[in-house]
Amino acid sequence: MDFKHEGWLPHLIDSIPVAARKNHTSLYTIALEGWRRGLGVRFFKGDNHEIGCILTWKDREYSFIGSSGELITDDIIEICNDKGRTNEFLSKAGVPIPLGKEFGEDVADEVILGYAKQINFPLVLKPTDGRAGRGVYAGIKNEQDLKHALKAVRVNLGYKNILVQQYVTGDEVRIYVLDGRVLAASNRRPANILGDGTSTVKELIVRKNILRKKVPSLYFRPIKIDKEVHDALKNAGYTMESIPKKDERIFLRRISNLSRGGESVDITDKLTPEQRSIAIRATKAIPGLVQCGVDMIINEETGSGVILELNTRPGIGNHLFPVEGTATDIPKEILNYYIPETKAFETVHSNAYFEFDHILDTLKGDSAAEIEIRPYTGKLSAFKIIVSGENDYSLLYDEIEPIIFEQNLHGHLEPKPPQTSVLIVAGANMDILQNFIKDLKKITGNLDLTITGIEEFQNPVMTGFRMLDDGKDMSLRSLRAEIKKIEEKRSLIEKETVRINRRINLIQKSVSWKLSAPFRVLFDKIGRKRN
């Protein structure tokens, strides 16, 4: 089996809405942990259009963007975003880094080529301010390849300031450090496929992307088939139609970033004491850096390692949802560090979670700067109810929605064509749930529908109530949000139409327009004759 999920945290399984999986898994899980502890939760849009959240406990506010709290200042972020400056701090602290040098946009390629000869190939070239592996060229073997990489990064991608380093062999590891403690470590394995002896490479990639959809942090990060993938296959002696042997793993890229098809394998227990020490020393080298994602190349033979990069807003989804190994509850650890008074509530993990798509839609628009989530604590009891019949299930939704909200119940109704619907209903009070089921039997009877099955539902439940159509939210609030989007677009079109008409009127009233009238008439006649 390619992916294994046995080590995931039970209270997070099936608790991450699709809207949170793209770029907000870290933020959402931290907010969810606070929400389940009973803290106030507000989401906001920052100055750079970044989505953040504020957790409130006893009139004290704690703000987070991504996985990082307010203690990660702009000065710290500025240092860590500049790989050259980061290396200066690391070198002064005696932290091992690959031999390399930063070059500004005023440095000619010839100078960089000369430096490369001094430190010898293979090399790595990367932008000093790059993100998510963009513009990183690893394993550059010769001068010609370096020239190609320089053109790609400086000209095609527009990055002027670059870093040239020795290419250090070994496993690339992401280590999460908080307050001088190593919490988790994952080996970021590059994009790959595992042969089964019968499927082609192309079929295995398709199957792997289906598996990635089951991992929240990889949901929007499929393996894309591009030139790099074709080149990797060619170098390994394969094509898209080749059939790898059973359990044969074929790597499709060198770079292991999750956004480039990589995947995380938990190796926390395999870190040596020296590797842990290097990661902790690296974070302490940057003043005030209390939480960090440390990228390290480790050498299994020596047990040592070198630092590649420090990330001030590291994604924690790879530690929460590893494809192999055991997850680490980093949201819990972060809140325990920032708000230690709430530690007593950390084990009271509710199976409820809140929606996120409407929050994002609202904040990305201009209608609200902040959105507060209704607080909820405790554990929900839930039932899965199968309803059968030929009637329109929207009628059932209309009948039960007012009761659901009046009795503070939660869940969803999902039609399963042609003649079945699944109703999930959850609440904190079992008596209220039982009474709702009695009412439901009367309602379904009046609509010529039949309840054909009732069983306890163990999975997490999203608060609120909605109708799902092929997994999509079709609740009244969702429909209103869609209507609002359409109205906003229509308003923009109307404003643009008014602006264009005003411009046309000004042109038609201008002197040049009047003087050119004879020529327009002449050109119009010529055009008609040609036609």
Side-chain angles (χ1 to χ4, degrees):
M1 185 176 178
D2 210 354
F3 281 6
K4 301 175 183 177
H5 302 159
E6 291 87 348
W8 286 9
L9 301 167
H11 61 276
L12 289 183
I13 295 176
D14 296 329
S15 292
I16 314 298
V18 172
R21 298 177 189 179
K22 191 166 188 178
N23 296 309
H24 303 287
T25 302
S26 302
L27 181 70
Y28 182 86
T29 52
I30 290 171
L32 180 65
E33 175 70 20
W35 184 73
R36 285 174 167 175
R37 292 188 185 195
L39 279 65
V41 179
R42 303 199 314 274
F43 288 93
F44 66 90
K45 180 167 62 176
D47 295 335
N48 297 320
H49 301 286
E50 296 174 306
I51 305 300
C53 77
I54 296 173
L55 303 182
T56 305
W57 175 253
K58 293 185 177 179
D59 298 326
R60 172 73 167 88
E61 295 184 341
Y62 304 83
S63 62
F64 295 85
I65 293 181
S67 65
S68 296
E70 56 198 25
L71 295 179
I72 304 302
T73 64
D74 291 341
D75 289 340
I76 295 172
I77 294 172
E78 186 177 343
I79 293 172
C80 293
N81 282 350
D82 187 324
K83 296 176 177 63
R85 289 188 66 190
T86 301
N87 285 347
E88 291 178 8
F89 279 89
L90 294 175
S91 295
K92 289 179 182 178
V95 178
I97 60 174
L99 183 63
K101 188 175 181 180
E102 181 181 358
F103 297 94
E105 60 180 316
D106 56 334
V107 178
D109 287 358
E110 290 74 17
V111 176
I112 299 172
L113 292 168
Y115 176 77
K117 294 176 182 178
Q118 294 177 23
I119 63 174
N120 295 325
F121 295 94
L123 299 172
V124 176
L125 184 148
K126 63 179 76 171
T128 59
D129 57 349
R131 297 287 188 278
R134 181 175 170 81
V136 176
Y137 283 76
I140 299 172
K141 297 178 181 178
N142 52 53
E143 186 175 337
Q144 189 62 35
D145 288 347
L146 180 55
K147 287 180 180 179
H148 170 76
L150 283 168
K151 181 180 178 182
V153 175
R154 284 186 142 186
V155 179
N156 299 343
L157 296 178
Y159 292 112
K160 303 303 181 184
N161 299 323
I162 61 163
L163 182 67
V164 176
Q165 290 179 316
Q166 287 179 327
Y167 179 65
V168 182
T169 58
D171 290 331
E172 184 174 348
V173 174
R174 165 65 63 82
I175 303 173
Y176 194 91
V177 179
L178 174 66
D179 190 30
R181 296 179 296 134
V182 170
L183 297 186
S186 63
N187 182 359
R188 297 189 298 175
R189 196 160 56 194
N192 68 89
I193 50 175
L194 191 66
D196 61 6
T198 59
S199 303
T200 66
V201 168
K202 187 175 183 179
E203 291 170 340
L204 290 170
I205 292 176
V206 171
R207 198 172 302 157
K208 188 63 170 281
N209 283 336
I210 293 174
L211 285 175
R212 291 175 73 86
K213 282 282 188 182
K214 299 180 184 297
V215 183
S217 56
L218 304 180
Y219 187 90
F220 287 102
R221 293 168 170 172
I223 298 173
K224 297 178 181 179
I225 301 175
D226 54 17
K227 184 178 183 302
E228 184 181 358
V229 169
H230 284 288
D231 289 345
L233 288 171
K234 183 179 179 181
N235 292 336
Y238 294 96
T239 68
M240 283 291 172
E241 302 307 318
S242 300
I243 299 177
K245 298 176 183 177
K246 182 175 175 57
D247 296 328
E248 179 183 9
R249 195 176 295 278
I250 300 174
F251 289 93
L252 306 176
R253 301 188 193 279
R254 288 188 176 185
I255 298 173
S256 59
N257 295 75
L258 302 185
S259 59
R260 301 285 289 164
E263 56 197 38
S264 59
V265 177
D266 180 72
I267 61 163
T268 308
D269 294 338
K270 297 179 181 180
L271 286 184
T272 66
E274 182 178 354
Q275 290 160 0
R276 289 172 178 266
S277 174
I278 291 172
I280 293 170
R281 285 161 48 206
T283 59
K284 290 183 177 180
I286 311 297
L289 186 58
V290 296
Q291 55 180 141
C292 178
V294 179
D295 288 344
M296 179 190 294
I297 293 289
I298 63 175
N299 188 312
E300 291 188 358
E301 294 181 2
T302 64
S304 186
V306 295
I307 300 299
L308 295 182
E309 195 170 346
L310 301 180
N311 301 271
T312 55
R313 290 178 182 167
I316 59 177
N318 55 321
H319 302 302
L320 296 176
F321 306 104
V323 300
E324 294 178 20
T326 304
T328 301
D329 199 343
I330 293 180
K332 180 191 77 172
E333 296 288 348
I334 289 175
L335 262 65
N336 286 351
Y337 174 72
Y338 276 89
I339 322 175
E341 305 95 315
T342 65
K343 280 186 179 181
F345 308 111
E346 69 180 36
T347 57
V348 187
H349 283 300
S350 165
N351 59 337
Y353 66 104
F354 56 86
E355 64 86 18
F356 198 61
D357 52 345
H358 302 307
I359 294 172
L360 283 183
D361 288 343
T362 303
L363 290 177
K364 287 178 180 179
D366 297 323
S367 56
E370 288 189 357
I371 296 180
E372 186 169 0
I373 307 301
R374 183 180 178 184
Y376 186 87
T377 57
K379 188 174 178 62
L380 294 172
S381 299
F383 289 98
K384 177 180 179 181
I385 303 171
I386 308 299
V387 181
S388 301
E390 299 181 0
N391 213 332
D392 185 352
Y393 284 100
S394 62
L395 298 177
L396 175 60
Y397 180 85
D398 291 340
E399 288 288 331
I400 64 177
E401 183 192 36
I403 303 174
I404 291 282
F405 284 111
E406 180 183 346
Q407 299 182 359
N408 198 28
L409 300 177
H410 309 276
H412 64 260
L413 177 67
E414 184 174 9
K416 299 285 186 179
Q419 296 183 1
T420 307
S421 183
V422 176
L423 171 64
I424 303 298
V425 59
N429 187 303
M430 182 58 74
D431 290 338
I432 292 177
L433 274 175
Q434 296 289 0
N435 289 332
F436 170 80
I437 292 174
K438 292 179 182 178
D439 293 337
L440 179 65
K441 291 178 179 178
K442 297 177 183 178
I443 293 171
T444 52
N446 294 335
L447 295 175
D448 293 326
L449 299 172
T450 304
I451 295 176
T452 56
I454 301 177
E455 62 184 54
E456 288 190 18
F457 186 71
Q458 302 296 335
N459 293 356
V461 178
M462 183 185 292
T463 54
F465 189 70
R466 55 198 45 82
M467 177 181 278
L468 302 182
D469 183 8
D470 291 331
K472 295 180 180 179
D473 185 351
M474 297 300 292
S475 66
L476 181 58
R477 181 167 56 174
S478 175
L479 293 174
R480 285 172 177 168
E482 292 299 319
I483 292 171
K484 184 178 179 180
K485 287 182 183 178
I486 295 172
E487 289 176 344
E488 288 175 349
K489 289 180 180 179
R490 184 178 65 183
S491 176
L492 289 174
I493 293 172
E494 290 175 350
K495 290 179 180 178
E496 186 65 12
T497 302
V498 171
R499 188 189 69 80
I500 293 172
N501 288 335
R502 188 183 298 116
R503 183 64 179 163
I504 292 172
N505 290 333
L506 290 173
I507 292 173
Q508 290 176 342
K509 291 178 181 179
S510 67
V511 175
S512 59
W513 179 266
K514 294 177 181 178
L515 292 176
S516 63
F519 297 101
R520 293 199 306 277
V521 172
L522 177 61
F523 291 146
D524 185 51
K525 290 180 179 179
I526 294 173
R528 285 200 298 269
K529 287 180 180 180
R530 287 180 178 176
N531 294 331

